[in-house]
Amino acid sequence: RGQVLFSHTSPCLPSLRSLQMVLARLSTTTLAPRALVRMQEPPVTPAPVTEAPPAPPAFNVKDLPGISGPLGFFDPLGFSTDASEGKIKFYREVELKHGRVAMLASLGFLVGENFHPLFGGNIDVPSYIAFQETPLQTFWPAVMLAISILEVFSVFSFN
């Protein structure tokens, strides 16, 4: 027949002996030792196979924008034959920058011939020698020094 789990010495509290018996019985029959208990591991799913993005095409200087007919690719001195991609792009950037400065300078020659309000407007010589007629002759070497510093530092910006 069944065992008595609690003795009724007190109507609300079981005796210490009966608690010990219950714990001993549970530990040997129904509870597994802690060493055998394993945590549930998440199911292992294989990583999805993704294809690597295609490699970018190799750099070719003849495929850059701006190369068009009738001349096509024009490099008579061969500056681009052994140059890296960064150096070629630097050359293109410098070419654009210097071309824009040259266009502004040519516009300055044309405007300076007819309109020169600086220094009182009484310099009446051709524009190619007008800079020598100004009282600021020491100003132009300072301008050239400032421009050359900016240009030298821009050379080190390419890789």
Side-chain angles (χ1 to χ4, degrees), residues 83-97:
S84 66
E85 179 181 358
K87 197 167 193 173
I88 295 295
K89 289 184 178 179
F90 174 76
Y91 286 157
R92 289 178 64 98
E93 177 186 342
V94 168
E95 181 181 11
L96 287 174
K97 179 172 57 172

Side-chain angles (χ1 to χ4, degrees), residues 9-33:
T9 55
S10 165
C12 294
L13 296 174
S15 69
L16 182 61
R17 178 78 182 138
S18 63
L19 283 176
Q20 287 175 345
M21 286 177 36
V22 168
L23 289 176
R25 187 170 185 196
L26 286 175
S27 67
T28 57
T29 58
T30 58
L31 297 177

